[in-house]
Amino acid sequence: MMNILFFLLLFLLVIYHKTLAISIWKSFSIFLAICAVFSCVNSFSRAINAIIDLHLPASKNILWFQIGTGIIYNIICILFLLAVWYPATHTVRIMIDDDNFAQTWYVFWILPLIFIGLNLFMVPKYDGTLYTGRILQIYIVVSLVLLIILALFYALFLLMANSLNRNARLQQENYLLSIQQERYTNLCNAIEETRQARHDMRHHFLQLSSMAEAGDLEKIKEYLYNVTQKIPTMHMHFCENQVIDSVISYYCALAERNTIPFHVQIDLPAQISVDETDFCLVLSNLLENALEASLKTAKFRQRIDIKIYRHASNLILIQIENAFDGKIQQKHGIFLSSKRNENGIGIQSVRHIVEKTGGGCDFTYDNGIFTAKIMLRPCINS
């Protein structure tokens, strides 16, 4: 009978693992944790059954569990299920999906296995053993203590996992913020240079006008050459919004410098409903990723296509396509960085901003083309 149950459990473990998109360590640990709980409940129910048997005639003692014990066993199981329902569907689910706590799953199975072993060791070989001396009283206390200790261990484990995951998320968010701040600073500098160059154009025209009146052609040529060298290459005009126009111009200049085809279709007014800082960060992250992917792509396939337009007066829709060579790595729906063995910062940053504002994002890749589709809406808090 025990052999049949053992192989049945293995079969159920395989089915359980196949129904989940998680590692074998996680599914194995969760399966053992559930078995440990029910082994403790089973031992406690066995003690209750022995108490009930004391008041029954020997001829009636033919069931493994009396009806009363079976009812109590099911009540305990239902109460335990109700108690763990919310943590299992919220806290535990987050912990399972979070890779920051991955190494813990390699050792989590040890304690449930110990509890299963203790409960199996406690099973009396003969029915009459429980009625010898104070063995029944000790058995009741030990089985109840094991169940309580196991429940406390799981609660402490969840608290520890939440604390570690919270710290890991805070560190990750701080890193994302530092990256965003650095990129935003670079963009601000580029935007300021462009604004300054545009502002200086009036003075340059006045200077050239006076030189033209003097008829000094060589001096005009020299002056034009010097001014051209100082003006940033962000000279194209894409939309009425100066901040967004400067960002696209900046990356357009980088693409031109590397002879990467850069196509833009944009329809934005001077004033937009979404936060300009968030818009710039999303746009710069996407364009930087597209530029980096293009630099690693064969010359004849390189291209970056951008479409940005308003929808329903207050939504901004962004679509950026770029060719890529090589393999895109994903883990649980998260894109991994091609430069480091970790999650890609650019797309993570975009997701973070989009979720903060209540928008949406979708990233797909097919036939060597990576497509990012973003919907930005006015910040929820605003």
Side-chain angles (χ1 to χ4, degrees):
M1 183 66 178
M2 289 296 293
N3 292 334
I4 296 175
L5 288 176
F6 178 75
F7 286 109
L8 179 61
L9 281 175
L10 288 179
F11 177 70
L12 293 175
L13 172 58
V14 172
I15 294 177
Y16 177 71
H17 174 66
K18 294 298 183 183
T19 59
L20 302 174
I22 59 176
S23 67
I24 183 63
W25 283 109
K26 289 182 181 181
S27 56
F28 180 65
S29 299
I30 295 170
F31 187 82
L32 284 180
I34 296 171
C35 289
V37 171
F38 282 101
S39 67
C40 290
V41 175
N42 190 68
S43 294
F44 184 65
S45 300
R46 185 179 293 107
I48 294 175
N49 190 71
I51 295 174
I52 294 176
D53 283 348
L54 285 174
H55 307 289
L56 294 176
S59 60
K60 292 184 178 181
N61 191 15
I62 57 176
L63 298 174
W64 181 31
F65 271 179
Q66 298 296 332
I67 295 177
T69 305
I71 294 173
I72 293 173
Y73 175 84
N74 283 281
I75 290 174
I76 294 174
C77 291
I78 292 171
L79 290 175
F80 192 86
L81 179 63
L82 293 175
V84 301
W85 179 263
Y86 184 84
T89 55
H90 292 76
T91 307
V92 176
R93 175 179 292 181
I94 294 172
M95 184 180 69
I96 291 172
D97 293 336
D98 199 332
D99 287 332
N100 294 321
F101 210 60
Q103 294 180 348
T104 306
W105 294 100
Y106 298 140
V107 295
F108 177 72
W109 57 272
I110 296 176
L111 196 62
L113 200 61
I114 292 174
F115 274 82
I116 293 172
L118 288 173
N119 282 280
L120 289 176
F121 178 76
M122 288 170 53
V123 177
K125 186 174 183 181
Y126 304 103
D127 294 337
T129 304
L130 288 177
Y131 306 106
T132 304
R134 295 181 177 274
I135 291 180
L136 181 57
Q137 290 87 339
I138 296 173
Y139 190 88
I140 293 173
V141 173
V142 173
S143 59
L144 184 59
V145 167
L146 285 177
L147 181 59
I148 293 173
I149 291 176
L150 186 63
L152 289 175
F153 166 74
Y154 289 158
L156 289 174
F157 180 81
L158 285 178
L159 291 175
M160 181 178 64
N162 282 335
S163 177
L164 291 176
N165 285 343
R166 192 181 304 112
N167 292 336
R169 283 195 296 271
L170 287 174
Q171 291 177 359
Q172 190 177 57
E173 287 179 2
N174 289 335
Y175 181 59
L176 286 175
L177 288 174
S178 65
I179 295 294
Q180 290 177 2
Q181 182 62 40
E182 181 183 352
R183 291 182 178 176
Y184 183 67
T185 302
N186 292 336
L187 284 172
C188 286
N189 292 336
I191 291 169
E192 186 58 33
E193 287 181 8
T194 304
R195 285 176 175 173
Q196 187 63 41
R198 288 172 176 172
H199 178 266
D200 291 343
M201 287 300 293
R202 186 171 62 88
H203 301 287
H204 294 316
F205 285 138
L206 290 175
Q207 186 70 21
L208 288 170
S209 179
S210 63
M211 292 179 184
E213 288 179 359
D216 194 344
L217 185 59
E218 292 300 323
K219 198 169 184 179
I220 291 176
K221 290 181 179 179
E222 182 183 354
Y223 186 84
L224 286 173
Y225 176 78
N226 292 331
V227 170
T228 304
Q229 296 300 313
K230 294 179 181 179
I231 295 178
T233 55
M234 298 176 293
H235 57 278
M236 293 187 177
H237 179 68
F238 295 97
C239 68
E240 297 303 319
N241 185 283
Q242 291 188 6
V243 178
I244 305 303
D245 184 63
S246 298
V247 173
I248 298 178
S249 297
Y250 174 73
Y251 284 98
C252 179
L254 294 178
E256 284 187 347
R257 192 178 305 165
N258 293 277
T259 63
I260 299 173
F262 195 89
H263 307 292
V264 180
Q265 296 180 29
I266 182 170
D267 181 18
L268 289 179
Q271 301 296 325
I272 56 177
S273 57
V274 304
D275 185 85
E276 286 187 348
T277 302
D278 290 338
F279 196 161
C280 287
L281 288 173
V282 168
L283 197 56
S284 62
N285 275 300
L286 294 176
L287 290 177
E288 184 164 325
N289 285 349
L291 193 63
E292 289 178 355
S294 297
L295 292 173
K296 300 175 183 177
T297 305
K299 273 293 180 185
F300 71 94
R301 296 188 60 249
Q302 290 180 346
R303 70 178 179 88
I304 298 176
D305 297 330
I306 305 169
K307 294 180 181 178
I308 305 175
Y309 53 93
R310 288 186 302 168
H311 179 72
S313 73
N314 65 337
L315 300 179
I316 302 294
L317 303 182
I318 306 170
Q319 178 175 311
I320 298 179
E321 292 184 352
N322 63 272
F324 70 91
D325 285 342
K327 184 179 180 181
I328 293 180
Q329 295 181 320
Q330 267 187 292
K331 188 175 183 180
H332 304 314
I334 297 176
F335 290 92
L336 302 181
S337 172
S338 59
K339 296 176 286 187
R340 302 171 300 276
N341 188 22
E342 58 187 35
N343 298 341
I345 298 299
I347 291 181
Q348 269 191 289
S349 179
V350 171
R351 288 187 190 274
H352 178 74
I353 295 171
V354 170
E355 290 172 1
K356 179 187 71 173
T357 59
C361 58
D362 180 52
F363 303 96
T364 57
Y365 52 95
D366 187 35
N367 295 325
I369 301 295
F370 186 91
T371 304
K373 295 181 180 179
I374 309 296
M375 180 185 72
L376 292 178
R377 62 171 70 241
C379 186
I380 297 175
N381 296 329
S382 63

mmCIF file of all heavy atoms in Angstrom, residues 30-64:
data_model
loop_
_atom_site.group_PDB
_atom_site.id
_atom_site.type_symbol
_atom_site.label_atom_id
_atom_site.label_comp_id
_atom_site.label_asym_id
_atom_site.label_seq_id
_atom_site.Cartn_x
_atom_site.Cartn_y
_atom_site.Cartn_z
ATOM 1 N N ILE A 30 7.217 23.506 -3.150
ATOM 2 C CA ILE A 30 5.814 23.775 -2.815
ATOM 3 C C ILE A 30 5.065 22.465 -2.580
ATOM 4 O O ILE A 30 4.267 22.347 -1.639
ATOM 5 C CB ILE A 30 5.149 24.591 -3.945
ATOM 6 C CG1 ILE A 30 5.795 25.972 -4.055
ATOM 7 C CG2 ILE A 30 3.648 24.724 -3.702
ATOM 8 C CD1 ILE A 30 5.375 26.738 -5.284
ATOM 9 N N PHE A 31 5.338 21.469 -3.416
ATOM 10 C CA PHE A 31 4.682 20.167 -3.268
ATOM 11 C C PHE A 31 5.031 19.542 -1.922
ATOM 12 O O PHE A 31 4.155 19.038 -1.208
ATOM 13 C CB PHE A 31 5.113 19.251 -4.411
ATOM 14 C CG PHE A 31 4.380 17.948 -4.459
ATOM 15 C CD1 PHE A 31 3.131 17.856 -5.047
ATOM 16 C CD2 PHE A 31 4.934 16.801 -3.912
ATOM 17 C CE1 PHE A 31 2.447 16.653 -5.089
ATOM 18 C CE2 PHE A 31 4.264 15.587 -3.949
ATOM 19 C CZ PHE A 31 3.008 15.513 -4.543
ATOM 20 N N LEU A 32 6.301 19.603 -1.530
ATOM 21 C CA LEU A 32 6.718 19.050 -0.235
ATOM 22 C C LEU A 32 6.111 19.832 0.920
ATOM 23 O O LEU A 32 5.754 19.252 1.954
ATOM 24 C CB LEU A 32 8.244 19.056 -0.123
ATOM 25 C CG LEU A 32 9.008 17.979 -0.891
ATOM 26 C CD1 LEU A 32 10.493 18.130 -0.656
ATOM 27 C CD2 LEU A 32 8.551 16.582 -0.472
ATOM 28 N N ALA A 33 6.011 21.155 0.752
ATOM 29 C CA ALA A 33 5.425 21.979 1.810
ATOM 30 C C ALA A 33 3.972 21.582 2.063
ATOM 31 O O ALA A 33 3.525 21.491 3.216
ATOM 32 C CB ALA A 33 5.516 23.455 1.433
ATOM 33 N N ILE A 34 3.219 21.340 0.989
ATOM 34 C CA ILE A 34 1.827 20.914 1.123
ATOM 35 C C ILE A 34 1.745 19.529 1.765
ATOM 36 O O ILE A 34 0.925 19.286 2.659
ATOM 37 C CB ILE A 34 1.133 20.920 -0.248
ATOM 38 C CG1 ILE A 34 1.079 22.350 -0.804
ATOM 39 C CG2 ILE A 34 -0.270 20.330 -0.153
ATOM 40 C CD1 ILE A 34 0.610 22.441 -2.236
ATOM 41 N N CYS A 35 2.623 18.626 1.324
ATOM 42 C CA CYS A 35 2.639 17.269 1.903
ATOM 43 C C CYS A 35 2.989 17.314 3.386
ATOM 44 O O CYS A 35 2.438 16.547 4.187
ATOM 45 C CB CYS A 35 3.651 16.392 1.162
ATOM 46 S SG CYS A 35 3.150 15.951 -0.520
ATOM 47 N N ALA A 36 3.902 18.207 3.787
ATOM 48 C CA ALA A 36 4.292 18.334 5.192
ATOM 49 C C ALA A 36 3.108 18.775 6.043
ATOM 50 O O ALA A 36 2.898 18.266 7.156
ATOM 51 C CB ALA A 36 5.451 19.321 5.325
ATOM 52 N N VAL A 37 2.334 19.726 5.535
ATOM 53 C CA VAL A 37 1.157 20.192 6.278
ATOM 54 C C VAL A 37 0.166 19.060 6.479
ATOM 55 O O VAL A 37 -0.321 18.822 7.598
ATOM 56 C CB VAL A 37 0.487 21.375 5.533
ATOM 57 C CG1 VAL A 37 -0.855 21.708 6.181
ATOM 58 C CG2 VAL A 37 1.387 22.590 5.546
ATOM 59 N N PHE A 38 -0.133 18.335 5.400
ATOM 60 C CA PHE A 38 -1.122 17.279 5.510
ATOM 61 C C PHE A 38 -0.610 16.083 6.324
ATOM 62 O O PHE A 38 -1.398 15.366 6.937
ATOM 63 C CB PHE A 38 -1.576 16.830 4.121
ATOM 64 C CG PHE A 38 -2.548 17.771 3.485
ATOM 65 C CD1 PHE A 38 -2.146 18.673 2.533
ATOM 66 C CD2 PHE A 38 -3.881 17.769 3.872
ATOM 67 C CE1 PHE A 38 -3.038 19.558 1.955
ATOM 68 C CE2 PHE A 38 -4.791 18.645 3.299
ATOM 69 C CZ PHE A 38 -4.374 19.550 2.341
ATOM 70 N N SER A 39 0.702 15.883 6.358
ATOM 71 C CA SER A 39 1.238 14.820 7.215
ATOM 72 C C SER A 39 1.057 15.180 8.686
ATOM 73 O O SER A 39 0.743 14.318 9.515
ATOM 74 C CB SER A 39 2.712 14.575 6.896
ATOM 75 O OG SER A 39 3.505 15.686 7.254
ATOM 76 N N CYS A 40 1.237 16.472 9.023
ATOM 77 C CA CYS A 40 1.010 16.920 10.398
ATOM 78 C C CYS A 40 -0.466 16.825 10.761
ATOM 79 O O CYS A 40 -0.831 16.390 11.861
ATOM 80 C CB CYS A 40 1.501 18.358 10.572
ATOM 81 S SG CYS A 40 3.298 18.560 10.534
ATOM 82 N N VAL A 41 -1.355 17.237 9.844
ATOM 83 C CA VAL A 41 -2.802 17.140 10.081
ATOM 84 C C VAL A 41 -3.204 15.683 10.225
ATOM 85 O O VAL A 41 -4.047 15.330 11.075
ATOM 86 C CB VAL A 41 -3.571 17.818 8.935
ATOM 87 C CG1 VAL A 41 -5.078 17.612 9.109
ATOM 88 C CG2 VAL A 41 -3.258 19.306 8.881
ATOM 89 N N ASN A 42 -2.599 14.822 9.430
ATOM 90 C CA ASN A 42 -2.914 13.395 9.489
ATOM 91 C C ASN A 42 -2.516 12.798 10.842
ATOM 92 O O ASN A 42 -3.259 12.008 11.429
ATOM 93 C CB ASN A 42 -2.202 12.665 8.355
ATOM 94 C CG ASN A 42 -2.668 11.228 8.210
ATOM 95 O OD1 ASN A 42 -3.812 10.978 7.834
ATOM 96 N ND2 ASN A 42 -1.795 10.288 8.514
ATOM 97 N N SER A 43 -1.324 13.189 11.359
ATOM 98 C CA SER A 43 -0.874 12.685 12.665
ATOM 99 C C SER A 43 -1.797 13.164 13.777
ATOM 100 O O SER A 43 -2.159 12.396 14.685
ATOM 101 C CB SER A 43 0.558 13.154 12.943
ATOM 102 O OG SER A 43 1.461 12.569 12.038
ATOM 103 N N PHE A 44 -2.195 14.446 13.722
ATOM 104 C CA PHE A 44 -3.101 14.982 14.730
ATOM 105 C C PHE A 44 -4.455 14.282 14.659
ATOM 106 O O PHE A 44 -5.064 13.960 15.694
ATOM 107 C CB PHE A 44 -3.267 16.482 14.519
ATOM 108 C CG PHE A 44 -4.098 17.160 15.561
ATOM 109 C CD1 PHE A 44 -3.667 17.221 16.882
ATOM 110 C CD2 PHE A 44 -5.320 17.726 15.238
ATOM 111 C CE1 PHE A 44 -4.442 17.836 17.854
ATOM 112 C CE2 PHE A 44 -6.101 18.339 16.205
ATOM 113 C CZ PHE A 44 -5.657 18.405 17.518
ATOM 114 N N SER A 45 -4.932 14.011 13.443
ATOM 115 C CA SER A 45 -6.212 13.311 13.279
ATOM 116 C C SER A 45 -6.115 11.870 13.779
ATOM 117 O O SER A 45 -7.085 11.325 14.318
ATOM 118 C CB SER A 45 -6.626 13.332 11.805
ATOM 119 O OG SER A 45 -6.784 14.656 11.350
ATOM 120 N N ARG A 46 -4.962 11.256 13.618
ATOM 121 C CA ARG A 46 -4.772 9.885 14.114
ATOM 122 C C ARG A 46 -4.893 9.856 15.635
ATOM 123 O O ARG A 46 -5.468 8.921 16.221
ATOM 124 C CB ARG A 46 -3.423 9.350 13.676
ATOM 125 C CG ARG A 46 -3.208 7.870 14.068
ATOM 126 C CD ARG A 46 -1.861 7.345 13.608
ATOM 127 N NE ARG A 46 -1.790 7.270 12.151
ATOM 128 C CZ ARG A 46 -1.089 8.099 11.396
ATOM 129 N NH1 ARG A 46 -0.394 9.074 11.959
ATOM 130 N NH2 ARG A 46 -1.083 7.969 10.089
ATOM 131 N N ALA A 47 -4.355 10.900 16.288
ATOM 132 C CA ALA A 47 -4.469 10.974 17.741
ATOM 133 C C ALA A 47 -5.926 11.154 18.161
ATOM 134 O O ALA A 47 -6.393 10.523 19.127
ATOM 135 C CB ALA A 47 -3.622 12.136 18.256
ATOM 136 N N ILE A 48 -6.666 12.018 17.432
ATOM 137 C CA ILE A 48 -8.089 12.214 17.738
ATOM 138 C C ILE A 48 -8.862 10.913 17.515
ATOM 139 O O ILE A 48 -9.748 10.542 18.304
ATOM 140 C CB ILE A 48 -8.663 13.339 16.855
ATOM 141 C CG1 ILE A 48 -8.006 14.677 17.217
ATOM 142 C CG2 ILE A 48 -10.172 13.433 17.005
ATOM 143 C CD1 ILE A 48 -8.422 15.823 16.329
ATOM 144 N N ASN A 49 -8.522 10.190 16.481
ATOM 145 C CA ASN A 49 -9.177 8.908 16.189
ATOM 146 C C ASN A 49 -8.947 7.915 17.318
ATOM 147 O O ASN A 49 -9.850 7.145 17.679
ATOM 148 C CB ASN A 49 -8.643 8.354 14.877
ATOM 149 C CG ASN A 49 -9.446 7.149 14.390
ATOM 150 O OD1 ASN A 49 -10.578 7.299 13.959
ATOM 151 N ND2 ASN A 49 -8.851 5.968 14.494
ATOM 152 N N ALA A 50 -7.729 7.942 17.885
ATOM 153 C CA ALA A 50 -7.434 7.027 18.995
ATOM 154 C C ALA A 50 -8.283 7.373 20.212
ATOM 155 O O ALA A 50 -8.733 6.471 20.946
ATOM 156 C CB ALA A 50 -5.945 7.112 19.336
ATOM 157 N N ILE A 51 -8.503 8.673 20.438
ATOM 158 C CA ILE A 51 -9.348 9.083 21.564
ATOM 159 C C ILE A 51 -10.784 8.597 21.358
ATOM 160 O O ILE A 51 -11.439 8.115 22.290
ATOM 161 C CB ILE A 51 -9.307 10.617 21.718
ATOM 162 C CG1 ILE A 51 -7.900 11.070 22.097
ATOM 163 C CG2 ILE A 51 -10.299 11.082 22.771
ATOM 164 C CD1 ILE A 51 -7.728 12.568 22.130
ATOM 165 N N ILE A 52 -11.285 8.748 20.126
ATOM 166 C CA ILE A 52 -12.649 8.279 19.827
ATOM 167 C C ILE A 52 -12.744 6.772 19.997
ATOM 168 O O ILE A 52 -13.742 6.249 20.504
ATOM 169 C CB ILE A 52 -13.041 8.701 18.397
ATOM 170 C CG1 ILE A 52 -13.141 10.226 18.307
ATOM 171 C CG2 ILE A 52 -14.366 8.064 17.995
ATOM 172 C CD1 ILE A 52 -13.419 10.742 16.891
ATOM 173 N N ASP A 53 -11.697 6.055 19.593
ATOM 174 C CA ASP A 53 -11.711 4.593 19.688
ATOM 175 C C ASP A 53 -11.788 4.102 21.125
ATOM 176 O O ASP A 53 -12.257 2.995 21.387
ATOM 177 C CB ASP A 53 -10.465 4.010 19.025
ATOM 178 C CG ASP A 53 -10.594 4.023 17.510
ATOM 179 O OD1 ASP A 53 -11.696 4.261 17.015
ATOM 180 O OD2 ASP A 53 -9.564 3.828 16.818
ATOM 181 N N LEU A 54 -11.311 4.928 22.074
ATOM 182 C CA LEU A 54 -11.340 4.515 23.476
ATOM 183 C C LEU A 54 -12.766 4.281 23.967
ATOM 184 O O LEU A 54 -12.991 3.490 24.883
ATOM 185 C CB LEU A 54 -10.673 5.579 24.350
ATOM 186 C CG LEU A 54 -9.155 5.650 24.306
ATOM 187 C CD1 LEU A 54 -8.656 6.846 25.112
ATOM 188 C CD2 LEU A 54 -8.529 4.359 24.848
ATOM 189 N N HIS A 55 -13.714 5.001 23.365
ATOM 190 C CA HIS A 55 -15.101 4.926 23.826
ATOM 191 C C HIS A 55 -15.964 4.032 22.948
ATOM 192 O O HIS A 55 -17.184 4.041 23.069
ATOM 193 C CB HIS A 55 -15.700 6.337 23.861
ATOM 194 C CG HIS A 55 -14.881 7.305 24.644
ATOM 195 N ND1 HIS A 55 -14.783 7.268 26.026
ATOM 196 C CD2 HIS A 55 -14.081 8.337 24.246
ATOM 197 C CE1 HIS A 55 -13.990 8.242 26.451
ATOM 198 N NE2 HIS A 55 -13.541 8.905 25.380
ATOM 199 N N LEU A 56 -15.340 3.302 22.046
ATOM 200 C CA LEU A 56 -16.085 2.413 21.167
ATOM 201 C C LEU A 56 -15.779 0.961 21.511
ATOM 202 O O LEU A 56 -14.653 0.623 21.899
ATOM 203 C CB LEU A 56 -15.731 2.674 19.704
ATOM 204 C CG LEU A 56 -16.149 4.040 19.134
ATOM 205 C CD1 LEU A 56 -15.626 4.163 17.694
ATOM 206 C CD2 LEU A 56 -17.665 4.197 19.144
ATOM 207 N N PRO A 57 -16.773 0.086 21.350
ATOM 208 C CA PRO A 57 -16.504 -1.350 21.541
ATOM 209 C C PRO A 57 -15.468 -1.835 20.537
ATOM 210 O O PRO A 57 -15.371 -1.303 19.428
ATOM 211 C CB PRO A 57 -17.871 -2.006 21.295
ATOM 212 C CG PRO A 57 -18.875 -0.914 21.483
ATOM 213 C CD PRO A 57 -18.188 0.350 21.067
ATOM 214 N N ALA A 58 -14.724 -2.859 20.904
ATOM 215 C CA ALA A 58 -13.651 -3.365 20.052
ATOM 216 C C ALA A 58 -14.183 -3.875 18.720
ATOM 217 O O ALA A 58 -13.521 -3.769 17.690
ATOM 218 C CB ALA A 58 -12.883 -4.474 20.774
ATOM 219 N N SER A 59 -15.417 -4.405 18.705
ATOM 220 C CA SER A 59 -15.957 -4.959 17.465
ATOM 221 C C SER A 59 -16.236 -3.891 16.414
ATOM 222 O O SER A 59 -16.270 -4.178 15.228
ATOM 223 C CB SER A 59 -17.251 -5.737 17.761
ATOM 224 O OG SER A 59 -18.205 -4.848 18.346
ATOM 225 N N LYS A 60 -16.458 -2.659 16.882
ATOM 226 C CA LYS A 60 -16.745 -1.586 15.940
ATOM 227 C C LYS A 60 -15.482 -0.908 15.421
ATOM 228 O O LYS A 60 -15.543 -0.052 14.541
ATOM 229 C CB LYS A 60 -17.648 -0.544 16.588
ATOM 230 C CG LYS A 60 -19.044 -1.057 16.879
ATOM 231 C CD LYS A 60 -19.917 0.059 17.422
ATOM 232 C CE LYS A 60 -21.333 -0.444 17.677
ATOM 233 N NZ LYS A 60 -22.205 0.637 18.189
ATOM 234 N N ASN A 61 -14.370 -1.222 15.977
ATOM 235 C CA ASN A 61 -13.115 -0.551 15.616
ATOM 236 C C ASN A 61 -12.523 -1.181 14.356
ATOM 237 O O ASN A 61 -11.534 -1.893 14.403
ATOM 238 C CB ASN A 61 -12.128 -0.653 16.779
ATOM 239 C CG ASN A 61 -10.922 0.239 16.576
ATOM 240 O OD1 ASN A 61 -10.945 1.121 15.731
ATOM 241 N ND2 ASN A 61 -9.887 -0.005 17.361
ATOM 242 N N ILE A 62 -13.206 -0.943 13.235
ATOM 243 C CA ILE A 62 -12.782 -1.574 11.999
ATOM 244 C C ILE A 62 -12.341 -0.554 10.948
ATOM 245 O O ILE A 62 -11.843 -0.919 9.903
ATOM 246 C CB ILE A 62 -13.916 -2.444 11.410
ATOM 247 C CG1 ILE A 62 -15.175 -1.592 11.196
ATOM 248 C CG2 ILE A 62 -14.198 -3.625 12.330
ATOM 249 C CD1 ILE A 62 -16.314 -2.349 10.534
ATOM 250 N N LEU A 63 -12.573 0.731 11.203
ATOM 251 C CA LEU A 63 -12.218 1.763 10.234
ATOM 252 C C LEU A 63 -10.845 2.324 10.540
ATOM 253 O O LEU A 63 -10.416 2.410 11.695
ATOM 254 C CB LEU A 63 -13.260 2.892 10.246
ATOM 255 C CG LEU A 63 -14.693 2.514 9.856
ATOM 256 C CD1 LEU A 63 -15.608 3.711 10.067
ATOM 257 C CD2 LEU A 63 -14.746 2.050 8.415
ATOM 258 N N TRP A 64 -10.144 2.744 9.473
ATOM 259 C CA TRP A 64 -8.851 3.417 9.655
ATOM 260 C C TRP A 64 -9.064 4.740 10.389
ATOM 261 O O TRP A 64 -8.391 5.058 11.356
ATOM 262 C CB TRP A 64 -8.201 3.644 8.279
ATOM 263 C CG TRP A 64 -6.867 4.307 8.363
ATOM 264 C CD1 TRP A 64 -5.959 4.205 9.378
ATOM 265 C CD2 TRP A 64 -6.282 5.170 7.389
ATOM 266 N NE1 TRP A 64 -4.849 4.945 9.109
ATOM 267 C CE2 TRP A 64 -5.007 5.554 7.890
ATOM 268 C CE3 TRP A 64 -6.707 5.652 6.143
ATOM 269 C CZ2 TRP A 64 -4.169 6.396 7.186
ATOM 270 C CZ3 TRP A 64 -5.865 6.478 5.445
ATOM 271 C CH2 TRP A 64 -4.600 6.859 5.961
#
